[in-house]
Amino acid sequence: MYKTQMEAAKKGILTPEMKRVAEKEFMNPDILMERVAKGEIAIPANINHKSLMAEGVGNGLSTKVNVNLGISRDCPDVDKELEKVKKAIDMKVEAIMDLSSFGKTEEFRKKLIAMSTAMIGTVPVYDAIGFYDKELKDITSDEFLEVVRKHAKDGVDFVTIHAGMNREAMEVFKRNKRLTNIVSRGGSLMYAWMELNNAENPFYERYDELLDICEEYDLTLSLGDALRPGCTKDATDAAQIKELITLGELTLRAWERNVQVMIEGPGHMAIDEIEANVKLQKRLCHGAPFYVLGPLVTDIAPGYDHITSAIGGAIAASAGVDFLCYVTPAEHLRLPDLEDMKEGIIATKIAAHAADIAKKVPYARDWDDKMSKARADIDWETMFSLAIDEEKARRYRKESTPEHEDTCTMCGKMCSMRTMKKIMSGEDLNILRD
């Protein structure tokens, strides 16, 4: 009947995944199906990911949050990363990207896919060096594609593929000097491979074969921004825009094959450039869902980049970005631990929710209205239950207990909520008296 969600939508078939997304997002199923058919909404759902609770990314839907995990040479502990997976799922993230680059990558990926209700993404080029136990230069074009097939067969829902950095884009990059060169890990690996072998990017050169794999497993392409800016100075430069133009062309080719696409974006970027970048991406990439890392709006805050990212993410998502990749306090410093991950998720969820209010996502504001009523009523239990981080809210109140239950230690009996509640209900106001 159909191979991919996009093909089903074009044929007017409402899949179980579409039904779930429509119900969750309070969207008319016919409108959802129309937008999936156009490519404005992607539902990453590999046919082999059996535990998946499908999510939609794109036009008119709530802003989704991704968490990066994975083992590395310095931190190869599979069980420790699986603890993070469990926590991320408990915190209801919509996506987890496995960025494993060393060690038991296949073991971790298969366990992750088996247990995860969230959609799973990978960057296959990260896995290639360890999988083949070869130096980068010696990996063949065939082998790069075979790793993608392996990930697809395992059940990965979307893959980051840096197909837009072709030889033309490399020349533009070389002619336009940057402060931080190429900061994308996958992008730098592909650039190095192309230079070392004096060859074209295999994912660009053999794009149709890549689409064959995607179509077979309903694998969504997340077209990576190999030339994204790694500092605010490099943002919106010639190399970034050249790659974006190519990604738009590759998007149309994928849609012709009924392969779903998301476009990845910057990166580091000054606040005043964010909205224009979102509009440019949406125009050049024909309304495809936009997935950004940050953007980080300043380069001076190692240890606090979850904040710099949340600022940029809220602005980007309110301007039309559909999917935010979290950034943790450990960004630029080390592999995040469990607490770093939690702080990154919370910061990114705040950014996503703030944007959803601005985007008029159905019922997004209701959460805030319920919290505001609980504050007006001085209903602490309801406030805690509605908090984005209930544990922290409860802990903060417990650590500084007020003399009177209907106050906190900031304002005491001068609390404005307490004052107005008493006066508006006709009660006497006692601030100094017991």
Side-chain angles (χ1 to χ4, degrees), residues 19-33:
K19 289 178 184 177
R20 169 182 156 75
V21 171
E23 290 173 5
K24 180 176 181 288
E25 302 280 353
F26 306 100
M27 180 177 280
N28 182 307
D30 291 334
I31 294 175
L32 177 78
M33 186 164 55

Side-chain angles (χ1 to χ4, degrees), residues 155-208:
V156 167
D157 301 296
F158 65 98
V159 284
T160 294
I161 300 291
H162 301 94
M165 187 183 62
N166 56 14
R167 299 295 297 186
E168 284 185 22
M170 284 177 64
E171 292 307 314
V172 173
F173 164 74
K174 289 176 181 178
R175 292 196 303 269
N176 295 270
K177 299 302 181 184
R178 283 180 159 187
L179 188 60
T180 54
N181 295 315
I182 295 176
V183 299
S184 161
R185 189 185 349 170
S188 66
L189 291 171
M190 290 312 305
Y191 183 93
W193 185 90
M194 292 159 71
E195 286 285 79
L196 291 168
N197 289 283
N198 191 27
E200 180 57 277
N201 183 336
F203 294 120
Y204 178 79
E205 189 172 47
R206 301 175 65 176
Y207 191 64
D208 287 328

Side-chain angles (χ1 to χ4, degrees), residues 117-148:
T117 53
M119 54 184 162
I120 300 300
T122 61
V123 188
V125 71
Y126 291 179
D127 194 28
I129 295 172
F131 184 74
Y132 292 114
D133 193 24
K134 284 184 176 182
E135 283 297 337
L136 178 66
K137 179 181 183 296
D138 299 324
I139 297 174
T140 67
S141 177
D142 285 340
E143 287 171 335
F144 277 126
L145 285 170
E146 200 52 42
V147 171
V148 177

Side-chain angles (χ1 to χ4, degrees), residues 20-22 24-27 32 41-44 53-67 92-96 119 158 262 289-292 294 313 317 320-326 345 348-349 351-353 355-356 359 361:
R20 169 182 156 75
V21 171
K24 180 176 181 288
E25 302 280 353
F26 306 100
M27 180 177 280
L32 177 78
I41 289 176
I43 303 177
M53 300 291 285
E55 296 282 355
V57 182
N59 182 13
L61 305 182
S62 59
T63 308
K64 303 305 184 293
V65 172
N66 172 71
V67 166
K92 297 181 171 57
V93 301
E94 290 87 8
I96 296 172
M119 54 184 162
F158 65 98
M262 300 185 291
F290 197 13
Y291 173 29
V292 301
V321 160
D322 308 289
F323 195 9
L324 297 177
C325 184
Y326 91 150
I345 291 173
T348 311
K349 277 181 165 284
H353 181 68
D356 286 348
K359 289 194 287 192
V361 170

